């Protein structure tokens, strides 16, 4: 009996779409889902007439695959992944490989890699970005594991990934949990992007009073620019023109202002804290979602706490352009933070990440795909040891040219009482990074005063530490 070349476990939408993507590229697929009725529905509808074999037990699924077996697991991160691995492990043979394509925590991936490789099985933790459409038509793939594991899968991965002008949106990321770490930071950057866009929308709507048609026009125009052309700007423009059939009003205005999150943004912020890397824009985006979630409490507070009275009386078109500039400058800072975190993780975990290649594979398929990723790719290709994206010549000049507009937008937001936490965090990041001297000399003096934590002096070599008995006043 002819056996299938690839297997997929988990038939939620992402699993279904990836299975169909693999099959469409010439690789017959076996599928398995814990709930058999889900498999039946998939076979009766979307998989009908395709080279897809349905299986209804984990044993039947494993037996249906040619060796060495290649099994993609698309189930919820955490314990469900461990449960599936536990079922598969006694049925597999040396050389077989499990690929975890979910949003698993990189530390779990490191553990699973060690456990499976110790018994002769292959394991790859692979970030998959692009949502439902990307999974079906070509996602951005971030596979981590051994180089040999990647080579074994390369023929399939390069065909199912999104295709851009300089190749498929997949590359070998690095060992162990590198793939899932990079996907985690990708999602953190995604949080930042989405929050920055939301703040731009709030400014245009609340300060300028633009209606949904005007908002659609502004975002559609921005999507034609080199700076802001991106998937997220494109879908934002589409959202503003969708009219709710029940109310005949823009649907976006009928949606409760409480954003959900699945944890990858929070993981990014936690990892940055552990590494001592500053990512204030991404952290602000996580905090903004948390604040949005207390909808009822905010509603009650709005009845008691008032903001300033403000009426915009300036040039509307000019302010729209300034918001565009502020959005782009803030976006540069957000990506700079994400790339700095990747560089730090790469050094500490020995991932040997190629930031230019990572930027390249994000150009297509994924949620943060954007035209300006080409510029990031070039910046790190020209200088692989670039300490911060803000120092790349083009990005440096962009911010220097536009910072006045950026600052004016934030000042206007403050006068109007409009919260712009991610815009503000980005500007604070830029201002902190560009200053030779920050006020933490006082912080260190305080630490030495109450805890004898010592300090360094400007007039002495770095690495020499001093302590003062501050209570012995020396006027």
């Amino acid at each position: 009996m002819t056996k299938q070349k690839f297997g997929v476990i988990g038939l939620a939408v992402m699993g279904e779409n990836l299975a169909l993507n693999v099959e469409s590229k010439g690789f017959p697929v076996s599928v398995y889902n814990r709930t058999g009725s889900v498999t039946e529905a998939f076979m009766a509808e979307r998989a009908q007439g395709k080279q897809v074999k349905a299986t209804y037990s984990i044993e039947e699924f494993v037996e249906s695959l040619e060796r060495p077996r290649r099994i993609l697991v698309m189930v919820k991160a955490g314990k469900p992944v461990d449960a599936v691995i536990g079922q598969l492990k006694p049925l597999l043979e040396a050389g077989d490989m499990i690929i975890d394509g979910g949003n698993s925590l990189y530390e779990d991936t490191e553990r699973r890699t060690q456990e499976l490789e110790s018994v002769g099985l292959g394991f790859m933790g692979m970030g998959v970005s692009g949502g439902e459409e990307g999974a079906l038509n070509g996602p951005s793939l971030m596979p981590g594991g051994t180089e040999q594991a990647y080579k074994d899968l390369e023929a399939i991965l390069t065909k199912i990934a999104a295709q851009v002008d300089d190749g498929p949106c997949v590359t070998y990321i690095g060992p162990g949990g590198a793939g899932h770490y990079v996907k985690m930071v990708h999602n953190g950057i995604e949080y930042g992007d989405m929050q920055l866009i939301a703040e731009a929308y709030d400014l245009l709507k609340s300060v300028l009073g633009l209606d949904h048609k005007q908002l659609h026009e502004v975002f559609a125009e921005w999507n034609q620019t080199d700076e802001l052309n991106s998937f997220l700007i494109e879908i934002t423009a589409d959202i503003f023109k969708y009219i709710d059939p029940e109310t005949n009003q823009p649907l976006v205005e009928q949606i409760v202002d409480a954003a959900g999150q699945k944890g990858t943004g929070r993981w990014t912020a936690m990892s940055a804290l552990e590494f001592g890397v500053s990512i204030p824009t991404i952290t602000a985006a996580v905090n903004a979602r948390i604040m949005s979630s207390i909808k009822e409490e905010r509603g009650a507070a709005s009845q008691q706490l008032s903001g300033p009275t403000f009426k915009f009386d300036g040039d509307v078109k000019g302010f729209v352009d300034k918001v565009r500039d502020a959005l782009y400058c803030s976006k540069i800072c957000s990506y700079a933070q994400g790339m700095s975190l990747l560089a730090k993780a790469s050094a500490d975990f020995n991932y040997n990440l190629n930031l230019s290649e990572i930027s390249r594979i994000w150009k297509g398929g994924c949620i943060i795909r954007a035209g300006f990723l080409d510029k990031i790719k070039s910046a790190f290709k020209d200088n692989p040891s670039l300490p911060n994206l803000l120092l790349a010549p083009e990005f440096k000049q962009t911010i220097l040219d536009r910072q006045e507009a950026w600052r004016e937008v934030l000042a206007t937001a403050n006068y109007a009482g409009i919260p712009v936490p991610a815009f503000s965090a980005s500007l604070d990041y830029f201002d902190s990074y560009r200053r030779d001297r920050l006020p933490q000399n006082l912080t260190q003096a305080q630490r030495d005063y109450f805890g004898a934590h010592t300090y360094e002096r400007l007039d002495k070599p770095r690495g020499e530490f001093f302590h003062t008995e501050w209570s012995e006043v020396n006027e």
Side-chain angles (χ1 to χ4, degrees):
M1 182 180 71
T2 302
K3 297 195 175 186
Q4 307 294 84
K5 293 185 176 295
F6 198 78
V8 176
I9 294 178
L11 293 176
V13 175
M14 288 292 288
E16 282 191 2
N17 284 0
L18 283 167
L20 292 174
N21 185 349
V22 171
E23 189 276 341
S24 72
K25 301 305 188 294
F27 303 98
V29 177
S30 284
V31 297
Y32 169 73
N33 193 80
R34 184 178 61 175
T35 305
S37 59
V38 172
T39 306
E40 291 172 355
F42 176 58
M43 295 303 299
E45 298 168 11
R46 303 185 70 201
Q48 191 173 37
K50 301 184 183 299
Q51 295 184 81
V52 177
K53 178 178 177 58
T55 64
Y56 295 92
S57 72
I58 200 76
E59 293 80 7
E60 181 188 6
F61 171 77
V62 170
E63 182 59 31
S64 72
L65 297 171
E66 69 174 25
R67 293 203 60 217
R69 302 175 180 93
R70 303 290 178 250
I71 299 169
L72 175 63
V73 177
M74 295 299 297
V75 301
K76 187 176 180 181
K79 291 181 180 179
V81 176
D82 287 323
V84 170
I85 291 174
Q87 291 178 304
L88 286 171
K89 193 173 175 181
L91 303 175
L92 300 181
E93 300 169 78
D96 291 348
M97 185 187 301
I98 299 171
I99 309 129
D100 175 12
N103 275 331
S104 288
L105 181 63
Y106 71 95
E107 292 170 328
D108 288 340
T109 302
E110 296 278 0
R111 169 178 56 80
R112 291 165 186 150
T113 300
Q114 293 173 12
E115 290 174 356
L116 291 171
E117 289 185 351
S118 68
V119 294
L121 298 176
F123 185 75
M124 176 170 281
M126 183 170 71
V128 179
S129 180
E132 299 174 17
E133 180 186 348
L136 181 63
N137 299 314
S140 175
L141 300 173
M142 293 153 259
T146 65
E147 287 192 66
Q148 186 58 51
Y150 176 71
K151 289 177 182 177
D152 291 345
L153 288 167
E154 191 172 13
I156 296 176
L157 299 183
T158 53
K159 287 188 177 181
I160 68 171
Q163 308 293 316
V164 293
D165 56 352
D166 49 7
C169 292
V170 61
T171 190
Y172 173 64
I173 298 295
H180 275 142
Y181 193 92
V182 169
K183 175 56 164 55
M184 177 189 76
V185 175
H186 163 285
N187 284 22
I189 294 172
E190 179 185 311
Y191 273 54
D193 260 356
M194 294 175 72
Q195 179 62 25
L196 290 168
I197 292 170
E199 291 174 17
Y201 150 67
D202 197 5
L203 287 165
L204 298 177
K205 177 175 178 283
S206 301
V207 173
L208 299 183
L210 300 191
D211 62 24
H212 71 284
K213 291 181 180 178
Q214 292 168 312
L215 288 166
H216 164 73
E217 291 168 0
V218 166
F219 279 86
E221 180 182 327
W222 287 354
N223 195 46
Q224 300 306 311
T225 65
D226 289 339
E227 296 92 346
L228 293 179
N229 169 255
S230 67
F231 172 71
L232 285 170
I233 294 289
E234 177 187 349
I235 67 170
T236 301
D238 287 346
I239 285 168
F240 287 127
K241 68 180 181 180
Y242 192 95
I243 302 301
D244 175 28
E246 292 186 27
T247 62
N248 205 34
Q249 298 295 317
L251 178 57
V252 67
E253 301 303 337
Q254 308 304 314
I255 296 174
V256 174
D257 53 313
Q261 54 181 316
K262 292 188 174 179
T264 45
R266 176 171 52 82
W267 292 347
T268 305
M270 291 168 63
S271 179
L273 286 171
E274 290 169 355
F275 277 128
V277 176
S278 178
I279 59 165
T281 307
I282 295 169
T283 302
V286 175
N287 286 334
R289 293 198 189 190
I290 294 170
M291 182 63 79
S292 79
S293 70
I294 56 170
K295 170 66 175 172
E296 287 71 23
E297 186 176 338
R298 287 188 292 110
S302 71
Q303 303 302 309
Q304 302 181 56
L305 304 175
S306 59
T309 300
F310 178 85
K311 181 176 175 57
F312 183 82
D313 58 3
D315 175 13
V316 172
K317 177 63 169 66
F319 190 72
V320 169
D321 290 344
K322 289 173 182 176
V323 173
R324 176 201 63 208
D325 289 346
L327 176 57
Y328 186 47
C329 290
S330 298
K331 184 183 179 82
I332 292 170
C333 288
S334 183
Y335 279 71
Q337 295 160 33
M339 291 300 182
S340 292
L341 179 56
L342 287 179
K344 178 63 173 173
S346 180
D348 281 30
F349 290 150
N350 295 315
Y351 283 160
N352 195 29
L353 300 180
N354 184 328
L355 298 185
S356 179
E357 262 293 272
I358 289 170
S359 304
R360 185 193 69 77
I361 67 169
W362 287 349
K363 286 170 53 179
C366 70
I367 302 301
I368 65 170
R369 61 185 184 266
F372 98 128
L373 279 161
D374 235 343
K375 299 177 182 180
I376 298 179
K377 181 195 79 169
S378 296
F380 285 111
K381 185 175 183 180
D382 293 343
N383 184 3
S385 59
L386 183 70
N388 191 293
L389 203 58
L390 296 178
L391 299 178
E394 179 170 335
F395 293 124
K396 175 179 70 176
Q397 197 57 49
T398 292
I399 289 185
L400 293 178
D401 290 344
R402 304 185 190 202
Q403 65 171 308
E404 185 176 340
W406 192 11
R407 296 180 191 281
E408 185 176 330
V409 167
L410 264 71
T412 301
N414 288 334
Y415 280 121
I418 305 297
V420 283
F423 272 28
S424 300
S426 293
L427 183 56
D428 288 344
Y429 180 78
F430 171 71
D431 280 337
S432 295
Y433 192 68
R434 69 172 180 80
R435 288 189 66 188
D436 175 61
R437 190 156 171 81
L438 293 169
Q440 273 62 51
N441 54 316
L442 176 58
T443 303
Q444 198 60 20
Q446 292 169 330
R447 295 181 72 243
D448 188 56
Y449 190 115
F450 65 68
H453 292 292
T454 73
Y455 55 85
E456 296 172 282
R457 293 177 58 103
L458 291 173
D459 57 355
K460 304 291 184 182
R462 291 297 304 272
E464 286 189 34
F465 293 89
F466 303 86
H467 169 62
T468 293
E469 293 297 334
W470 296 87
S471 59
E472 298 177 5
V473 178
N474 179 21
E475 296 184 357

